[in-house]
Amino acid sequence: MNNHLLRLLFITFLCLHTYINHAQVTNTATLDTTGGQQIGNTSIGAYLDMYYGYNLNEAPGKKLPYFVSMADHHQLNINLAFVDIRYQSNKMRARFVPGFGTYMRDNYALEPLALRNLLEASAGLRLSEKKNIWMDAGILGSPYTNESAISKDHLMYSRSLAPEYVPYYLAGIKFSFPLSEKLNFYLYLLNGWQQIDDFNNGKSVGTQLEFRPNANNLINWNTYAGDERSTLNATYRNRYFTDVYWIYDAGKKWSFTSCIYAGRQEIKNSSGTTDPHYWWQANLIAQYRIMDPLSISARVEYFSDPDQVMLDALDTTGFNGGSAGLCINYRPVKNAMVRLEARQFLTRDFQFYLHDTHAANYMTWLLCGFTVWF
C-alpha cells in the first residue's frame, strides 16, 4: 500500500501544479451541461446517446463485465436518453430529469421500481442572496470523478473504470457555498453510497472543493465518509473515499483531464474486529483537435481492487489492471457527435472470458456512439 500511496501523491502533485495559464472550463463531473430551450423561468432540453459495442473476446452473454455504461455486446442500443426540465428564479430552483436506456437499467437495478428512471429530481432554495448560498434536496448529480453519465462532455466516448465504481447519483441534501471568485465548497448529507432507497443504518457525508485557478483549468477535490453496513453487506462498516481530478481546456488544440482516487472499506471479520481494505485508481486522458469538426483522444488508466470491495472479479486474486484506448470524435453540427473507439484491457490475472468459458487476462472492446442533444 505504501508504494500505491506514493504513486497517488505524485500524480496529485502533477495535477495541482502542472496547469497552463491561458474561456471557462466546464466541470464535466456534473449533469448541468445540456442547455435547453428557455421559456420564462423554465428550460426544457433533451439528450439521446445511442451505441453499438463489440467485445472481440466474444465472451458468453450480452453484457460487458465491470461496466454499466455502453456495456451491451453486439447490439445497437440506447445508452441514455432523458428529458431535462429546469426551473430557476431568484430564490428557488428545481430540476426533473427522467432517464431511460441501458445505463439506467444496469445502474439503478437495486432501487425500487418507482425510482429506477430518475436521473435527477431535486428542488433548491437560496438561503442567502448576498453570499449566494443554496440548499438543494432530492436525487442529485454526483461530484465524484471527472466523468458523468453524459458522454458528449468527455474526451473519450466510453467512461474510465474509475467512474464506474463511485456514486453516479446521490440522495440527500446539498449545500453550496461560494468562498471566492475561484473557489466553491459543497457539503452533502446523504442516504449513503449511491442509494435512493436508504438501506444503511446511518447517514453519510460528502464534500466537494472546486478550484478554478484560471479560465482554462479546474481542480476538484471530493471526500466521502459513511457506515456502509446493510442487509446486502452485513460485515461492512465505515467507508472513506477521496478523489482529485484536473480538467484543462483552452478551446484550442489540446484538452486534458486526469483523475486519481483511493478508498478504504472497514470490514468486520470473524473475530469481531475490523480489517481495512483498499482500492485505488489513476487515469490520464488527452484530446487533440485535428480540425474544427474532428478530434482524436487517447486514455491510459490503472485500477486496483485486490480485495474486491467494489467489483466482483472473475479471478479470486482481485482486480489489478487497466486499459489503453483511442477515440475518433466527429462533430458535424454543434449538438451532435459521432464517435469510434477502440479499447484494450490488460490485467495481472485472468479477469476476462475468452469465447466460451476460457479465461484470459485481456479484452478488446470496440464502440461506435451517436449522440444528439437540444
Side-chain angles (χ1 to χ4, degrees):
M1 184 63 189
N2 290 337
N3 290 336
H4 297 339
L5 286 175
L6 287 174
R7 292 174 191 162
L8 289 171
L9 290 172
F10 174 70
I11 297 172
T12 303
F13 176 83
L14 290 179
C15 290
L16 293 175
H17 292 84
T18 314
Y19 55 78
I20 307 170
N21 288 317
H22 279 167
Q24 181 90 357
V25 63
T26 299
N27 192 338
T28 54
T30 67
L31 292 171
D32 297 326
T33 64
T34 50
Q37 181 67 43
Q38 193 74 31
I39 308 171
N41 289 339
T42 303
S43 68
I44 301 175
Y47 176 86
L48 177 59
D49 183 7
M50 299 167 282
Y51 73 100
Y52 173 82
Y54 195 88
N55 178 4
L56 290 185
N57 283 32
E58 295 184 338
K62 284 289 186 179
K63 193 174 182 306
L64 202 73
Y66 311 125
F67 284 86
V68 299
S69 307
M70 308 97 166
D72 281 16
H73 164 66
H74 196 27
Q75 56 182 311
L76 180 67
N77 222 323
I78 305 296
N79 177 55
L80 179 61
F82 63 77
V83 177
D84 189 352
I85 304 170
R86 308 190 204 191
Y87 174 84
Q88 177 80 51
S89 68
N90 188 45
K91 296 184 178 181
M92 176 185 167
R93 61 190 180 191
R95 192 175 186 196
F96 178 60
V97 189
F100 308 89
T102 58
Y103 167 83
M104 302 297 295
R105 177 199 68 195
D106 296 337
N107 206 30
Y108 288 70
L110 296 179
E111 300 294 350
L113 188 61
L115 301 173
R116 289 182 187 175
N117 294 101
L118 290 177
L119 193 66
E120 186 165 333
S122 63
L125 293 173
R126 176 175 279 173
L127 303 181
S128 171
E129 286 191 54
K130 184 178 180 180
K131 297 183 178 180
N132 199 30
I133 298 173
W134 284 83
M135 179 189 72
D136 297 276
I139 302 172
L140 308 164
S142 167
Y144 298 105
T145 81
N146 53 342
E147 294 172 282
S148 73
I150 302 178
S151 66
K152 78 173 185 67
D153 295 327
H154 304 146
L155 303 185
M156 303 283 287
Y157 177 61
S158 70
R159 292 210 302 257
S160 307
L161 279 160
E164 294 293 311
Y165 296 99
V166 300
Y168 258 98
Y169 57 88
L170 302 170
I173 303 172
K174 172 185 176 181
F175 296 92
S176 306
F177 303 93
L179 302 181
S180 69
E181 290 184 359
K182 296 183 177 181
L183 198 62
N184 293 301
F185 176 73
Y186 306 90
L187 175 66
Y188 297 82
L189 305 178
L190 306 168
N191 283 345
W193 182 275
Q194 187 165 300
Q195 51 183 284
I196 303 173
D197 188 33
D198 188 2
F199 50 81
N200 279 357
N201 288 346
K203 302 303 177 187
S204 304
V205 176
T207 65
Q208 178 186 6
L209 190 64
E210 184 187 72
F211 175 51
R212 298 175 180 269
N214 54 50
N216 305 329
N217 289 274
L218 182 146
I219 299 168
N220 196 99
W221 173 40
N222 300 310
T223 68
Y224 175 92
D227 189 338
E228 293 302 305
R229 77 182 75 187
S230 66
T231 53
L232 292 175
N233 296 300
T235 60
Y236 278 28
R237 294 298 182 262
N238 290 333
R239 176 176 296 176
Y240 304 99
F241 176 84
T242 184
D243 75 353
V244 176
Y245 60 81
W246 164 63
I247 301 170
Y248 167 76
D249 187 358
K252 297 181 180 179
K253 287 292 186 182
W254 287 97
S255 298
F256 298 94
T257 185
S258 180
C259 176
I260 61 169
Y261 69 53
R264 171 189 166 112
Q265 177 65 59
E266 297 176 351
I267 299 178
K268 188 176 181 181
N269 59 36
S270 57
S271 64
T273 59
T274 57
D275 297 322
H277 299 265
Y278 299 93
W279 73 98
W280 67 274
Q281 75 79 40
N283 66 55
L284 175 65
I285 310 171
Q287 184 179 92
Y288 179 74
R289 294 174 182 86
I290 300 170
M291 57 183 71
D292 200 16
L294 188 66
S295 64
I296 186 168
S297 308
R299 168 174 51 210
V300 290
E301 65 175 337
Y302 191 86
F303 189 92
S304 177
D305 186 8
D307 298 322
Q308 301 188 65
V309 175
M310 301 308 297
L311 58 78
D312 294 323
L314 175 61
D315 191 285
T316 57
T317 56
F319 192 97
N320 290 281
S323 80
L326 287 172
C327 184
I328 298 173
N329 315 286
Y330 178 61
R331 190 168 180 169
V333 293
K334 67 177 183 179
N335 58 341
M337 292 183 73
V338 179
R339 310 175 93 170
L340 299 172
E341 182 175 330
R343 194 167 172 184
Q344 180 68 45
F345 293 86
L346 186 65
T347 55
R348 183 188 304 171
D349 300 297
F350 296 101
Q351 304 296 358
F352 301 102
Y353 282 112
L354 179 62
H355 302 298
D356 298 326
T357 56
H358 294 85
N361 69 336
Y362 63 89
M363 182 181 72
T364 306
W365 188 17
L366 304 179
L367 279 166
C368 176
F370 177 46
T371 309
V372 296
W373 62 95
F374 48 89

